[in-house]
Amino acid sequence: DQQVKQNSPSLSVQEGRISILNCDYTNSMFDYFLWYKKYPAEGPTFLISISSIKDKNEDGRFTVFLNKSAKHLSLHIVPSQPGDSAVYFCAASPNSNSGYALNFGKGTSLLVTP
Amino acid sequence: ETGVTQSPTHLIKTRGQQVTLRCSSQSGHNTVSWYQQALGQGPQFIFQYYREEENGRGNFPPRFSGLQFPNYSSELNVNALELDDSALYLCASSLGGLREGTEAFFGQGTRLTVV
């Protein structure tokens, strides 16, 4: 069963505007969340993360928001740039000081047009 | 500081054969995880090694096995290959447990095609 869901397979945004990518999860044991970006023929690249004790984490143009009660998180990219065009994966895990497994969504393909 | 490297980048095998994929973890990282990414899907967790011991396993059959070496590099072995094993295999390394600042970093992957 898919415990992390990204319901939008694709998103198209104009350069300079905001991109909002959404992610929902079902497992209440998840308390650490990450976003990865993936270009074709490359491995996923870590973007930003958030733990459940926070509701927002910001890093430059990227901000992740977490709503634990709704089991929902989102990634905001402002302003969007053509180089941001890639597949974005949401991932979640129970927090652990030893082993963990990242549970990924199916990804959202973002296209930023000039 | 070197990143995560995987070899080979591409591989074609025949159904029933065995395959070994290799991963060198990022310098200083003692934890390696393996993921399978089928076309159009997100990566699926296969297993994880921490200091040479298996430390968690996903829903994959025993013909998927692995090793971690003292230098923290790792191998993924798949026996009796099936057509559905065709996928991108990703290795990720991290330092210990998952918490802020110790996120997993991925290699570029090995594309395995089973014919």
Side-chain angles (χ1 to χ4, degrees), chain A residues 32 34 36 38 42-44 46 49 54 89 93 95-102 104-106, chain B residues 35 37 41-43 45 48 55 88 90 94 96-101 103-108:
Chain A
Y32 197 75
L34 308 90
Y36 284 85
K38 188 178 186 299
E42 294 185 12
F46 169 73
S49 63
K54 297 181 178 179
F89 290 98
S93 176
N95 209 345
S96 171
N97 285 323
S98 59
Y100 63 90
L102 293 176
F104 283 86
K106 291 187 178 183
Chain B
Y35 291 81
Q37 186 180 12
Q41 304 294 315
F45 176 72
Q48 181 181 83
N55 188 33
L88 180 68
L90 294 162
S94 61
L98 185 66
R99 55 191 182 278
E100 208 164 317
E103 289 80 8
F105 293 88
F106 284 82
Q108 83 282 10

Side-chain angles (χ1 to χ4, degrees), chain A residues 58-80:
Chain A
E58 192 172 353
D59 184 1
R61 298 186 296 115
F62 302 92
T63 303
V64 56
F65 295 92
L66 175 62
N67 182 335
K68 278 201 75 178
S69 61
K71 294 190 176 69
H72 177 83
L73 63 156
S74 61
L75 174 68
H76 292 210
I77 306 174
V78 184
S80 301

